[in-house]
Amino acid sequence: MTLEDLGYTGDLENFRKEQELGSFGVGRVISEHKVGYGVKTDKGDFEAEIVGKLRFSAEKRSDLPAVGDWVAISEHDDHKALIHAIFPRRTIIERGAVGKFGEKQIIATNIDYAFIVQAVDRDFRINRMERYLTICNASNVKPIIILNKIDLINGSQLKDILDSVQKRIKHAPLVAISNETRVGYEKLLKFIVKGSTYCLLGSSGVGKSTLLNNISGKELMKTNSISLRTNRGRHVTSHRELIVLENGGILIDNPGMREVGITDANTGLEITFDTIVKLSQNCKFNDCTHIHENSCAILEAIEKEELDRDSYENYLKMEKEKTHFESTLAEKRKKDKDFGKMIKIHKKSKKWNKY
């Protein structure tokens, strides 16, 4: 396997030379664990740790390696390595960290396409689908929607679901599949090309791990049943992992995510809800809130059933979350800045107290 098979490009090699990293090896982070990382190279897989300099210079979690990153490494012992530097990230898929307002969590980096997987039988929510789309659009990652478990519903039900999705989401490819019968796989596999990196996004129990196993032809991921008590999928994948498929595609599996927090994703919302954004330009008042004003183009479109009300309400909810995230982030940055000033003053006073 070559580095090019893992997605290595000329731009990355130029960075390596410019930063005088030629004495180090190059690898891609394929897994992240509590005490280290898995790194794949053209020489095989390594268990890696970051050097102290990289660890102590990191101001936030995103300054540390993530699955999908390209890194400069030095080898030692038997398939052990140290990570010395992280190459620039072309794309970053991230969400609001669960339970930590104002903080982000990286899902994966250097992604070309995202498979947004939903099951049609239990956990189907177009609102959640729009959330994943917003995250992808904000990251400049191309989304592909996969509706799984179509063997559990009849043709009429599937048509209704497909129509409802296409009514609200117009710019993303849509593929209906069954992991059991492999219906739809031929169409899906056409999207996977050598050297491109894909990630799987979706809640637990929608069939991501089974899909990966079927695509790869190997039992790479454990699968589990739906919980009878909660009617929800059980978490099986516990960490992100990068896998090279036989056809040359590179795929990253992710833990199931029930909470998908929106961050400061202005561009993402504008792309996902482009119809709403365009309509807002026709409102009578520049400061229209699109909630109660007369001559509001959005409210008029909803009244005429030219705009889906559920999609609009979902947009409002995510816009509110984004605004809250931005204000919380600004407050957090101010506190960090004030704390930094306090430390500097303290150090300065200790220095003068010596004399």
Side-chain angles (χ1 to χ4, degrees), residues 7 65 90 95 116 127 129 148 154 156 166 170 200 208 230 234 251 262 315 329 333 349:
R90 184 167 43 82
R95 63 170 179 170
I116 300 173
N127 282 5
M129 196 180 292
N148 188 24
N154 59 43
S156 176
Q166 290 170 335
K170 306 183 186 300
L200 289 169
K208 300 194 307 299
T230 64
R234 297 186 178 102
L251 202 148
I262 297 299
Y315 166 77
L329 181 61
R333 284 173 176 167
S349 65

Side-chain angles (χ1 to χ4, degrees), residues 49 67 71 96 103 124 138 155 184 190 221 234 254 271 320-321 325 354:
E49 297 179 355
V67 173
V71 291
E103 295 187 26
F124 177 72
K190 290 179 180 178
M221 293 290 171
R234 297 186 178 102
N254 299 282
I271 296 174
K320 185 177 179 181
E321 285 181 32
F325 179 89
K354 288 181 180 179

